[in-house]
Amino acid sequence: MVSRRTALRLAGAALLPAVAGCSDRTGGTREPTDSPSASPTGSGTNDPLTEPSSTPPDDLPEWKPAWTRSVEEQHVLGLDTHDGAVYASLSSEGGPSAVAALDPTDGTELWHTSTPGELEGRAYAEPNDGDDRWGVTVTDDRVFAVTGHADEYEWTALRALDRATGEVGWSMRHERSLAVRGVHDGTVYVTSREFFEPEHSHDTPEEPLPTELFAVDVADGTLRWSYPFAGVADVAVSPEGVVVAAGTELTCLDHDGSKRFDVDTGTEGRALAATADRVFFLGDDDTMGRPVHWYAFDGTREWGERRPVREALLDRDRGVLYAAGDETLALDTDGSVAWRAPVHGGHPLLLGPDRGTLYTRGGGARTEAFGLPDGEHRWSFDPRERYAWPTAASADVAVVEGYAEGRSLYAVDADAGEATRRRSFGERASLFTVEVAGGYALVGTGDASVVALPLERAA
């Protein structure tokens, strides 16, 4: 597990996109590759794949901000949207941290709530885009934030803020590592994991770390029930129950805390997601392709086989699982291949608005775009950076982040795959998050600011 401070140091280096995989949800650090993917020769429709965009980056017009908002803290680590507002996760070395609600149209601060400790990377229940590392979980009534001093193995605390005012409704503090895993029907599900303090920097625990799953009342913070586990790798919250991956076991609990099923998958896994109908599991063992399993909520394995993939993203509304690795593909609800493209894909996988486009990182520096639902390969974009990856998207513009000597953001026409504008943030800049809201690509930076880049199509 990469610590927050290590991740902040990496933010100025080419490994930053890899840090997004270092949460308990995915496990392990994703290393970017310098080499581009092999030249693809066909798509799911057998049409030739589009050659990468060749617009020289230095010739692109400057992508000028519409507004910039400075904050009191050092870093804008996360931006999360809900019902027309943006919730900024702010942090400074050693603390305090803060959550601020912003109007995305002009950056007006609606409220600002300071909290002790440093921001912890375990407060967003569901990653919502390709660059999630830190953030908050937002519901209609609450904003859940986790702060503390986990790097010193001291404590973490969960706070439930009133979404309208920012006032702290209740808090929960433990000498353990807390993580928000999901919210359902008035209950927030939280894991509490024992700290492991290594004697040497590369030490790992010999035994799985004791972890408890808490079911906490959203309104007042009352503990409804708890359930002990060891070595929890991932948790998925569904209307049908709460599913926990621990070791090779999948355990499903009803929302009252009673056990629904417990099955042995035969492999450890850290990619877990669930709809109202089934559980999706991606195993770690990649000796002959990674195991992909579907489970019903009675514990029956409905489907499973190995696929040459490393990343997976579930569209919960459609029940379609998108996966990427040696190829990029979509698996339907029965496990059948909805479409397949011989195009290398990797972290991140990103769904565009209205689920009309799937974006992924192909090789070290290409962004690949696939039309949905048929999987037609629309375009490849190569900004000629050492590393590049898709980070956010509107209906008209895909935002691609690049890194060579410094950080840059490209506005790429979502239909044509051509870059239209470029914003350079300098050699030492840190870009922590990009979120689409209010007609802008909102950029959270390491120099205490939110930068709003307009998303309208270039003339």
Side-chain angles (χ1 to χ4, degrees):
M1 176 70 196
V2 174
S3 72
R4 176 187 173 281
R5 290 180 179 175
T6 301
L8 289 172
R9 290 196 298 271
L10 289 175
L15 291 178
L16 182 57
V19 177
C22 295
S23 70
D24 292 341
R25 173 167 300 279
T26 52
T29 302
R30 297 181 178 92
E31 297 288 347
T33 174
D34 289 348
S35 59
S37 58
S39 299
T41 57
S43 72
T45 58
N46 295 320
D47 292 330
L49 295 183
T50 306
E51 288 299 314
S53 167
S54 58
T55 305
D58 293 340
D59 294 343
L60 293 172
E62 182 183 0
W63 198 358
K64 297 181 180 180
W67 56 262
T68 299
R69 172 81 191 189
S70 296
V71 299
E72 301 171 14
E73 293 74 19
Q74 291 176 304
H75 309 295
V76 181
L77 296 183
L79 295 169
D80 296 278
T81 63
H82 188 87
D83 196 24
V86 174
Y87 301 87
S89 300
L90 314 173
S91 196
S92 300
E93 292 299 326
S97 302
V99 179
L102 307 177
D103 183 334
T105 62
D106 58 9
T108 299
E109 188 174 86
L110 307 176
W111 52 257
H112 183 284
T113 300
S114 182
T115 57
E118 296 180 346
L119 188 71
E120 297 295 330
R122 307 174 183 91
Y124 59 91
E126 294 293 339
N128 57 23
D129 56 40
D131 65 2
D132 279 325
R133 289 174 283 281
W134 294 277
V136 292
T137 295
V138 188
T139 68
D140 289 341
D141 301 317
R142 296 291 192 188
V143 178
F144 296 99
V146 179
T147 61
H149 289 300
D151 280 359
E152 286 76 37
Y153 318 104
E154 293 179 355
W155 61 272
T156 60
L158 168 65
R159 286 176 175 79
L161 312 181
D162 185 282
R163 192 172 73 86
T165 66
E167 294 180 359
V168 179
W170 53 266
S171 64
M172 171 194 299
R173 173 169 164 154
H174 286 263
E175 294 180 0
R176 294 178 127 212
S177 179
L178 297 179
V180 178
R181 299 297 193 163
V183 183
H184 177 73
D185 195 24
T187 302
V188 55
Y189 293 96
V190 182
T191 50
S192 173
R193 187 185 65 192
E194 187 176 284
F195 284 127
F196 170 71
E197 184 171 358
E199 183 177 352
H200 306 288
S201 60
H202 297 293
D203 288 350
T204 57
E206 295 181 0
E207 299 291 336
L209 294 174
T211 304
E212 283 196 84
L213 176 67
F214 295 151
V216 182
D217 189 286
V218 165
D220 59 14
T222 302
L223 180 64
R224 292 179 172 175
W225 53 264
S226 65
Y227 199 97
F229 290 93
V232 170
D234 208 350
V235 179
V237 177
S238 160
E240 287 299 308
V242 184
V243 187
V244 179
T248 64
E249 300 290 318
L250 277 187
T251 300
C252 180
L253 305 175
D254 280 321
H255 289 290
D256 63 2
S258 59
K259 184 183 288 188
R260 175 170 285 203
F261 69 75
D262 192 3
V263 298
D264 190 340
T265 66
T267 179
E268 294 185 357
R270 297 176 185 270
L272 183 66
T275 66
D277 301 313
R278 56 183 54 85
V279 179
F280 298 79
F281 173 79
L282 183 64
D284 286 344
D285 180 11
D286 61 357
T287 53
M288 298 178 63
R290 298 183 73 182
V292 186
H293 297 169
W294 285 195
Y295 289 91
F297 274 96
D298 62 0
T300 303
R301 194 176 86 169
E302 296 181 332
W303 178 87
E305 62 181 49
R306 289 181 176 266
R307 292 282 180 181
V309 298
R310 295 188 60 80
E311 303 293 332
L313 175 68
L314 175 65
D315 182 340
R316 284 175 172 76
D317 291 340
R318 295 177 178 172
V320 176
L321 187 75
Y322 300 103
D326 294 342
E327 59 184 10
T328 303
L329 54 87
L331 297 175
D332 218 332
T333 55
D334 61 357
S336 62
V337 176
W339 57 263
R340 176 192 287 115
V343 181
H344 184 279
H347 180 79
L349 286 166
L350 171 67
L351 283 173
D354 300 323
R355 297 171 176 82
T357 308
L358 176 71
Y359 299 96
T360 188
R361 178 182 183 179
R366 287 164 61 135
T367 291
E368 312 286 355
F370 300 88
L372 300 178
D374 59 5
E376 177 186 4
H377 187 270
R378 288 181 174 172
W379 47 260
S380 295
F381 171 65
D382 185 350
R384 302 184 186 179
E385 301 266 11
R386 185 179 181 188
Y387 303 109
W389 56 93
T391 188
S394 70
D396 298 325
V397 177
V399 183
V400 174
E401 183 172 347
Y403 173 84
E405 300 302 322
R407 298 283 174 180
S408 296
L409 290 178
Y410 295 85
V412 180
D413 186 287
D415 291 331
E418 289 284 340
T420 60
R421 287 156 291 173
R422 177 176 181 260
R423 177 74 178 177
S424 176
F425 287 84
E427 184 176 351
R428 296 185 178 275
S430 299
L431 305 184
F432 289 108
T433 185
V434 181
E435 185 75 18
V436 169
Y440 301 104
L442 303 180
V443 186
T445 75
D447 64 355
S449 64
V450 179
V451 179
L453 302 174
L455 284 170
E456 72 271 8
R457 287 189 190 273

